[in-house]
Amino acid sequence: MIDEALREINRGCAEIIDNERVEKLLKAYFQEGKTYTVKAGFDPTAPDLHLGHTVLLQKLATFQKYGGRIQFLIGSFTATIGDPTGKNTTRKVLSQEDIVKNIQSYTTQAFKILDESKTDIVYNNDWLGKMSAADLIALASNLTVARMLERDDFSKRFKTNIAIATSEFMYPLLQGYDSVYLQSDIEIGGTDQKFNLLMGRQLQKVYNIKKQQAVLMMPILEGLDGVQKMSKSLGNYIGVSDEANDMFGKVLSISDELMWRYFELLSEKSLDEIAELQSAVKEGELHPKKVKEDLALEITTRFHNKEVAQNAKVEFDKVHSKSQIPSDISEFSCDGTIWIAKALVNCKMEPSTSQARRDIKQGGVKIDQEKVLDDKLELSSGEYLLQVGKRKFAKLKVN
RNA sequence: GGUGGGAUAGUCAAGUGGCCAACGACGGCAGACUGUAAAUCUGCUCCCUAUGGGUUCAGAGGUUCGACUCCUCUUCCCACCA
């Protein structure tokens, strides 16, 4: 029983520090029913969760199955300071109102995966906000600059002449202090958080709370491009609240290679099952597209439901495999004749008329399934089906 | 506080008086090929009803027929010294 739980917990992890402690905690749970706390921090600046986040959430859910209580830490304090990274980013200070709103949408999304009854939502503003300057200095004295510069991203930025604000040095300390205050048994984060996570361990020791958290690091999920990490700003993400059709399509658009990575980190299938699929594909017994479809179905079902997911698949086949027109297209209308390039911009299919003209010249624009090559075309009254590239559709009614 | 270096498109990065809407790389978009794949190949990649016009090279002034390039001030970053 314990072995099975351990195996499941270890799955997909990039690194675990102090695995013995995890084992002890599980033992205590299975033998004496003792629960333990698992901390994970979330920054309420971006209200949209994507699959990159769910890797972490799914791991938390696993802990919930085996006696873990989740400390769902909202970085409400750190968010009000703003993260002054890079030279181009202006300090973004969130109002308390925004934070509350973001947290709302954050948690509703998170509870699609987490068990609410085993989750405690905590805000670090509650304790960090009360610290005095003296407390802060005392905290800061635990860390040397040299040590701070060991951190990979800091040293990289330092070497490449990118600004590092002093407040950024405070981040790991504050995050580590959260673990002291919460007396966490385990903390989970991405591999990029290693330094911060370890800071929690160190500070727990310094502040003498008689335990040191185990640290579990999840790999960073690659985005749709398969290279960079999934993030909203890079636009290579699958959002938790994406439409079923989008979600399904996005999963299918990943490369075959990346698919296995997604399987490991996102699927509920056991590692053995996945290995079987993988060898079947390799032997040519299974078409990779079929396997990918199953993955897409599983993921879409998780965030919507089975029926909707199935519909998404049907719709997808219709549009792409058979290159028919999707059933749900946004509609626009306008008065009088309209220049084609302008029309495409108005229908939000192109960012500028210049871009529209370029696409037209390259044969990327279709009206009613027919390629348009004349970039000066005027549309007189009537109804048109506009298409840019393979995916963008819109209906336009000219009055 | 002192001295020196730097800021160029989504990112990185050339350009040191006119040939500059600005080399190149990455990213992105479109086309071919496909499984909407991936890889590869081709074209495009500031805005504007456009063989033309407009606005750009941190910001504000100045020199010049002409400035991304020279000068002055400002802001921000980096290095060394204190």
Side-chain angles (χ1 to χ4, degrees), chain A residues 277-376:
Chain A
L277 287 175
Q278 204 160 3
S279 70
V281 167
K282 212 172 177 181
E283 301 297 321
E285 293 160 23
L286 252 178
H287 197 292
K289 186 172 179 227
K290 172 81 182 71
V291 180
K292 208 184 287 176
E293 269 174 2
D294 289 344
L295 177 67
L297 270 178
E298 181 185 340
I299 290 174
T300 311
T301 304
R302 180 175 308 148
F303 297 104
H304 296 276
N305 59 57
K306 203 162 186 173
E307 200 183 333
V308 174
Q310 199 61 43
N311 283 343
K313 176 173 155 40
V314 172
E315 179 75 9
F316 183 87
D317 285 342
K318 186 176 154 195
V319 176
H320 300 289
S321 306
K322 298 180 188 135
S323 63
Q324 290 174 354
I325 303 142
S327 40
D328 200 16
I329 306 178
S330 45
E331 296 182 33
F332 298 86
S333 67
C334 67
D335 294 316
T337 59
I338 184 164
W339 177 39
I340 175 70
K342 202 87 189 167
L344 293 171
V345 174
N346 286 353
C347 294
K348 300 189 166 54
M349 301 171 79
E350 293 280 20
S352 69
T353 56
S354 299
Q355 179 65 42
R357 285 159 55 104
R358 277 179 221 121
D359 282 338
I360 291 168
K361 282 181 190 157
Q362 293 184 113
V365 174
K366 288 181 187 171
I367 294 181
D368 296 330
Q369 314 270 47
E370 296 280 329
K371 251 183 207 175
V372 181
L373 292 169
D374 177 13
D375 66 332
K376 293 199 170 135

